[in-house]
Amino acid sequence: MNQRKMKAVLFDLDGTLLDRDESVRAFVGDQYIRLERHFKGVSKAKYVERFIKLDNHGYTWKDIVYQQLVKEFGYETITWEELLEDYLEEFSTHCVPFPGLIELMVELKKRNKKIGIISNGYGEFQLRNIQALGLEQWMDCILISETEDVR
């Protein structure tokens, strides 16, 4: 029997290497604390819960999420654009890997496997998340939809 040897492993980022649900929860909770002065009358729990529902596991881009939050909660001292900018700048500082992530990369390299990531999203944003997880050094190939101009 002719068996081919696996030479490479390709991963998605969100929900595969990056625990997106935990990362989002950590980020949104921190965003509330940092910007709480703008969120008068809205509890942290309500802000986090509503963000997560609107986000729809990442299927709704954050400009829409923040526009809806500003509208629903009647924020007057911060704009949706400022909230979005904060998200783009700060999210990567809250990236949570799945357990055993680096150990997996070490094992794959020990076995001489090529490793790559294929991810939808904005190039710079996703690359910062990859770097925050300490993954860039392990990758032979990183393909991000915006950078590759394909979805």
Side-chain angles (χ1 to χ4, degrees):
M1 177 186 249
N2 183 10
Q3 293 184 346
R4 290 193 237 181
K5 193 172 185 181
M6 180 180 63
K7 297 178 183 174
V9 180
L10 297 174
F11 293 97
D12 183 29
L13 179 62
D14 294 317
T16 303
L17 302 175
L18 170 71
D19 186 336
R20 188 179 182 287
D21 291 343
E22 286 303 311
S23 300
V24 167
R25 187 168 294 284
F27 166 76
V28 176
D30 181 63
Q31 183 179 56
Y32 181 91
I33 291 167
R34 288 183 294 103
L35 302 174
E36 184 175 7
R37 67 190 178 280
H38 299 288
F39 303 148
K40 292 185 180 7
V42 177
S43 70
K44 179 181 175 184
K46 188 171 184 177
Y47 181 79
V48 171
E49 177 187 325
R50 190 63 182 135
F51 182 101
I52 289 170
K53 182 162 180 70
L54 290 168
D55 177 62
N56 191 29
H57 300 283
Y59 289 103
T60 305
W61 184 235
K62 302 320 150 276
D63 58 346
I64 303 300
V65 171
Y66 285 120
Q67 287 175 50
Q68 189 63 34
L69 287 174
V70 167
K71 180 180 175 184
E72 281 183 28
F73 295 143
Y75 298 150
E76 296 177 356
T77 59
I78 194 164
T79 66
W80 70 265
E81 292 95 342
E82 291 168 316
L83 290 167
L84 177 61
E85 184 63 29
D86 182 72
Y87 173 83
L88 295 172
E89 293 298 318
E90 298 294 329
F91 182 83
S92 65
T93 64
H94 298 83
C95 288
V96 177
F98 280 106
L101 179 62
I102 298 303
E103 294 83 358
L104 174 61
M105 297 302 131
V106 169
E107 184 61 30
L108 289 171
K109 284 301 180 182
K110 270 203 262 186
R111 295 180 185 198
N112 295 313
K113 305 301 180 199
K114 299 285 185 186
I115 308 172
I117 294 176
I118 300 175
S119 182
N120 280 322
Y122 292 102
E124 186 179 321
F125 180 80
Q126 290 295 65
L127 188 56
R128 280 199 311 268
N129 295 339
I130 290 165
Q131 292 165 339
L133 293 172
L135 290 174
E136 190 177 32
Q137 64 180 323
W138 299 101
M139 296 300 132
D140 297 292
C141 181
I142 298 173
L143 301 171
I144 302 170
S145 61
E146 179 192 47
T147 306
E148 302 302 319
D149 197 29
V150 68
R151 182 146 174 89

